[in-house]
Structures are given as C-alpha cells and as structure tokens.
Amino acid sequence: MTKDEARGLGWLLGFVIVTATAVALMTGCGASARQKTVNAAFVVIDAGCSKFAEYDLAHQRQILAASADRATFDAAIGKWRATRDKVQRDCTAAYRADAVAATLDNEQSFAALKAAASIVYDEIKALGVIK
Amino acid sequence: MTTEEEIQLVTVVGEAIIKLTQGLLDVKAGKLDPEVVLAAANAVSDTVKATDAAIDKLAHDKFDTSESP
C-alpha cells in the first residue's frame, strides 16, 4: 500500500465514521438513519479489513525477504501472525456486529457495532496500515 | 503453478470476492443483507489463510529445499 493509498483510506474511514455518527446523533438515531449508518459501517469495516488483508500479504513477503535463515523467519512470522490473528478476530467481530445490527435494528446492537468498528479502526491505525 | 503465481492468485481472488460483496451491497441498495456481511467476513478470513499457505510454501522453497551437489 502506498502512502497516498493509506492516507486516502484513513481519510475515508475517519470521514465515514464521523459523518455517520453525526447523522445518527442529529436525527436521534431513528430507524432509517440507524440503518444508513449500519450500511456505511459495513463499507468502512470491509474497506479497512480488506486493506489489512492486502497489507498482511505484503508484510509477510517482506519478512520472508528479510530473513536469512529458517529460525529467523519462524520467529518473525510467528510474532507477526499472532498480531495479525488478533486484528482478524476483531475484524470478524465487527462484521458480525454489523450483521446483527442490520438484523435487529435497535439501539443495543447499534452501540455494539460502533464499539467493534472503533476497535478495528484503532488496531489497523496502530499498525500503520492507515495513517 | 509456481508460488509467485499462487501469490498473484491470492490477490486476484481476494479482490474479486471484495468486489462481489460490494456489488451485492449495491444491488440491495437498501437494508443491508446480513448474509452479504458474513460473506465479506469469510472472504477476508479466506484471503488470510491463502496468504499463510502461499508464504509457507515460499519459505519452504527458500529454506528447506537443499540443492544436490
């Protein structure tokens, strides 16, 4: 991922989250506004987690290229995959929260979705996938 | 198929699945179908698994294959 792409994705994620939250708050989280936010959250989660999957491939290739021997590779790839697995689990949790919110369409599921999406966003940002 | 070709395939398949789910969402253009969301989650999971398999094969080729004298 280039710096421009990362910057663009970061801007997109931030914009959609802030806009969607603002719309939901201004409209008192009515059913229609909430549903639009659930739809927008899917786009954000899918964009972030898909970009993370691309980053995972590129990062693993870098680890392999930088490793001179099997032991070095095993240690480095094991460390990265442990981190990657946690983010992937949180991505799955965010997708599921979105599916539940789309089905139930209530305040409780909506709050759970916002929390799950925020966790994924923070993790991907902390790893430097987005700025 | 070489490992490099497998890597390319992982990328192509991942992008195709992502476009498919986005396309389904566009077609729905209304209430989000939970099945589409779960399909997207599975697509990411499958891409990660394919990445691991491809990298492991590349690592095997690099470190575990001894050339005969």
Side-chain angles (χ1 to χ4, degrees), chain A residues 9-69:
Chain A
L9 179 62
W11 182 88
L12 174 68
L13 288 168
F15 176 79
V16 174
I17 288 173
V18 170
T19 304
T21 303
V23 168
L25 289 173
M26 284 189 296
T27 57
C29 281
S32 179
R34 192 164 54 221
Q35 200 59 53
K36 286 178 183 173
T37 307
V38 170
N39 291 0
F42 171 71
V43 175
V44 172
I45 293 166
D46 200 40
C49 293
S50 299
K51 280 293 176 189
F52 179 71
E54 290 177 20
Y55 175 84
D56 175 44
L57 174 60
H59 192 63
Q60 289 202 39
R61 294 190 77 170
Q62 286 175 350
I63 290 172
L64 179 61
S67 299
D69 54 57

Side-chain angles (χ1 to χ4, degrees), chain B residues 41-54:
Chain B
N42 288 335
V44 171
S45 177
D46 290 346
T47 302
V48 166
K49 286 177 187 170
T51 294
D52 285 359

Side-chain angles (χ1 to χ4, degrees), chain B residues 16-46:
Chain B
I17 293 170
I18 289 160
K19 284 177 183 172
L20 172 65
T21 54
Q22 288 173 342
L24 286 171
L25 181 66
D26 290 341
V27 170
K28 295 285 179 184
K31 188 171 181 180
L32 184 60
D33 185 346
E35 288 187 13
V36 172
V37 180
L38 296 177
N42 288 335
V44 171
S45 177
D46 290 346

